[in-house]
C-alpha cells in the first residue's frame, strides 16, 4: 500500500487523528506541549480526580477494540474520565460489524450517538473508511500500519528526560512494525535522525522511507545493529509479532521471523554502544529475552513506564484538539 493510501482527505468540519503525516511538525509540537502542561497541572493528584478543567463533561467517546489492548484502552478511558467525559468500550464482536454491517454505516450511526471514536483495528482501511464516513473525530488507536498515539508519547517521554529530540540520533532495532512506521513519520515531523537496523526482509516498507526522505527526514537503514546504535541518544524496539498479526500469520512464519530477529535483541552489550546517557523505549507489551533483555528493559536507562504513562497525557491533548477542531 502506498503512503498516500494510508492518509485521507479530512471532511472539512471534522479533525481526526489518523496519522502523524496529516499534521505539521508545529501542530504535533503544540500537542506535546499541551500534554506536558496538563500532566504538570495534575501532578500528584489521585488517578480518579478530575482535571481542574473538565471540557469533556457531557461528552461520550466510543472506544472500539477489534484487537487486544492494555495501555491504549486504559489510558483513553482514564484520560476521558479525568477530562469529565464518559466512555463506551466495545470489542469488534460487540458490534454488528462482526455480522457484516459495513464500517461506513457503523460510522454514520455512531456519529449520531457519541462525540468521538477511538478505534484499534487490524486493517488500516477500516480506520480510513470509518473516518471518511464519521461526522465526529476518529482517532487511530493502532492499525496494522501505524500507531501515532504511541509515538507521540515516545517523543514526549524522550524530551522530558533529555530535552528536544530534533537533531538527536534515534536507533530503531529489530522489525519494521507499525510503531516503526510512525517513528518514520515522526522523524520527518520532529526533525530527529532515525537509524533503523532490521533483519533482511523485516524492514519497513520502502515507500515509507521514500516519503520520509521526500519530507526532509534523515533516515538511515542497515542490518548491523551495532553500527546503527553507535552514539544514539535513544534506542527503541518493539515486539516481533504485532497484535494485528496474532492468529493471522502461520506458526512457521512466526518461527522464521524469530530466528531472523534473534541477533537484534537489545542487550546490555548493544546499549553500551549507544551514547552513555542513552534512553531505552519500548511501547509494550515486551517479551524479555526476545526483542529486549530483561537487564535493559528493567535497567536504569529504560523509560518504559514513563512512556506508558505519557500515553494518558498525550492522548488527552489529542482528543481535546480533535474535539475543538
Ligand atoms: N503500546 C500499546 O499500544 O499497548 P496496548 O497494545 O496494550 O494498547
Amino acid at each position: 500500500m502506498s503512503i498516500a493510501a494510508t492518509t485521507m482527505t479530512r471532511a472539512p468540519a471534522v479533525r481526526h487523528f489518523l496519522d502523524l503525516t496529516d499534521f505539521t511538525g508545529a501542530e504535533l509540537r503544540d500537542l506535546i506541549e499541551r500534554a506536558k502542561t496538563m500532566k504538570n497541572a495534575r501532578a500528584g493528584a489521585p488517578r480518579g480526580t478530575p482535571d481542574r478543567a473538565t471540557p469533556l463533561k457531557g461528552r461520550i467517546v466510543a472506544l472500539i477494540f477489534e484487537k487486544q489492548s492494555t495501555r491504549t484502552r486504559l489510558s483513553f478511558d482514564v484520560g476521558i474520565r479525568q477530562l469529565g467525559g464518559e466512555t463506551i468500550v466495545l470489542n469488534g464482536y460487540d458490534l454488528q460489524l462482526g455480522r457484516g454491517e459495513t464500517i461506513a454505516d457503523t460510522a454514520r450511526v455512531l456519529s449520531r450517538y457519541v462525540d468521538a471514536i477511538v478505534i484499534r483495528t487490524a486493517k488500516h482501511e477500516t480506520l480510513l473508511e470509518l473516518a471518511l464516513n464519521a461526522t465526529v473525530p476518529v482517532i487511530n488507536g493502532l492499525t496494522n500500519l501505524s500507531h501515532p498515539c504511541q509515538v507521540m508519547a515516545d517523543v514526549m517521554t524522550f524530551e522530558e528526560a533529555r530535552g528536544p529530540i530534533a537533531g538527536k540520533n534515534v536507533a530503531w532495532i529489530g522489525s519494521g512494525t507499525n510503531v516503526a512506521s510512525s517513528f518514520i513519520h515522526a522523524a520527518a515531523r520532529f526533525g530527529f535522525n532515525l537509524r533503523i537496523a532490521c533483519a533482511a526482509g523485516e524492514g519497513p516498507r520502502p515507500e515509507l522511507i521514500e516519503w520520509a526522505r521526500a519530507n526532509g527526514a534523515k533516515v538511515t537503514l542497515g542490518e548491523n545493529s551495532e553500527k546503527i546504535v553507535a552514539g544514539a541518544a535513544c534506542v527503541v524496539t518493539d515486539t516481533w509479532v504485532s497484535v494485528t498479526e496474532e492468529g493471522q500469520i502461520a506458526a512457521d512464519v512466526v518461527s522464521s521471523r524469530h530466528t531472523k530477529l534473534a541477533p537484534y535483541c537489545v542487550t546490555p552489550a548493544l546499549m553500551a554502544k549507544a551514547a552513555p546517557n542513552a534512553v531505552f523505549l519500548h511501547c509494550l507489551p515486551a517479551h524479555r529475552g526476545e526483542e529486549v533483555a530483561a537487564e535493559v528493559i528493567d535497567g536504569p536507562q529504560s523509560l518504559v513506564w514513563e512512556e506508558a504513562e505519557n500515553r494518558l497525557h498525550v492522548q488527552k491533548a489529542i482528543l481535546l484538539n480533535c474535539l475543538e477542531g
Side-chain angles (χ1 to χ4, degrees):
M1 178 177 293
S2 76
I3 185 71
T6 70
T7 60
M8 59 162 288
T9 306
R10 282 181 221 143
V14 186
R15 170 157 277 220
H16 302 301
F17 189 82
L18 305 182
D19 263 318
L20 303 185
T21 52
D22 297 332
F23 296 85
T24 65
E27 287 173 325
L28 297 175
R29 166 65 47 207
D30 284 349
L31 289 174
I32 292 203
E33 295 310 317
R34 187 173 194 176
K36 285 182 193 166
T37 302
M38 287 198 296
K39 178 179 182 178
N40 292 337
R42 63 170 293 117
R47 307 281 180 249
T49 310
D51 286 0
R52 261 177 243 139
T54 51
L56 294 194
K57 197 167 171 52
R59 307 265 201 144
I60 301 174
V61 181
L63 308 176
I64 303 173
F65 287 88
E66 294 185 350
K67 291 286 176 182
Q68 298 93 326
S69 168
T70 297
R71 280 144 290 271
T72 307
R73 176 178 167 155
L74 270 291
S75 55
F76 267 111
D77 202 340
V78 170
I80 290 161
R81 291 173 198 224
Q82 289 178 352
L83 291 168
E86 292 186 46
T87 59
I88 301 172
V89 186
L90 302 153
N91 73 49
Y93 291 102
D94 291 331
L95 297 165
Q96 295 280 12
L97 274 173
R99 294 181 58 242
E101 185 167 20
T102 68
I103 295 288
D105 286 353
T106 304
R108 293 176 190 118
V109 171
L110 263 61
S111 297
R112 301 292 179 111
Y113 297 146
V114 301
D115 296 283
I117 304 167
V118 177
I119 185 167
R120 166 166 293 193
T121 173
K123 289 188 187 150
H124 198 83
E125 295 90 331
T126 300
L127 170 79
L128 297 184
E129 197 180 344
L130 188 74
L132 202 57
N133 291 283
T135 54
V136 298
V138 172
I139 297 175
N140 179 352
L142 178 148
T143 72
N144 57 323
L145 295 188
S146 61
H147 199 1
C149 290
Q150 178 65 55
V151 175
M152 289 292 282
D154 293 1
V155 170
M156 177 175 169
T157 304
F158 177 87
E159 294 196 334
E160 281 180 334
R162 296 288 181 268
I165 199 168
K168 299 277 186 355
N169 289 337
V170 174
W172 177 276
I173 307 295
S175 179
T177 64
N178 43 11
V179 180
S181 299
S182 288
F183 257 98
I184 293 167
H185 296 157
R189 293 299 188 248
F190 288 101
F192 58 83
N193 308 321
L194 184 61
R195 303 170 57 79
I196 302 171
C198 290
E202 299 296 334
R205 291 171 293 124
E207 61 266 35
L208 272 172
I209 305 300
E210 283 166 27
W211 175 89
R213 288 180 177 151
N215 281 273
K218 289 187 183 148
V219 182
T220 307
L221 289 173
E223 290 181 18
N224 184 321
S225 51
E226 291 195 359
K227 280 188 185 160
I228 288 291
V229 91
C234 179
V235 180
V236 198
T237 191
D238 190 4
T239 182
W240 293 339
V241 178
S242 166
V243 68
T244 62
E245 297 178 309
E246 295 271 358
Q248 305 298 314
I249 55 173
D252 62 324
V253 175
V254 173
S255 169
S256 147
R257 192 182 289 174
H258 275 242
T259 304
K260 279 199 279 184
L261 289 169
Y264 291 83
C265 180
V266 179
T267 59
L270 188 66
M271 284 302 290
K273 305 274 182 198
N277 66 344
V279 299
F280 172 77
L281 298 179
H282 188 311
C283 62
L284 306 175
H287 301 81
R288 289 168 175 77
E290 293 184 9
E291 74 274 9
V292 60
E295 298 92 315
V296 173
I297 194 167
D298 299 320
Q301 290 170 285
S302 173
L303 296 181
V304 298
W305 313 123
E306 288 78 4
E307 187 182 358
E309 179 186 335
N310 283 336
R311 293 290 304 277
L312 169 68
H313 305 294
V314 87
Q315 287 163 189
K316 286 164 73 175
I318 289 167
L319 192 56
L320 288 178
N321 182 262
C322 286
L323 285 165
E324 291 159 0

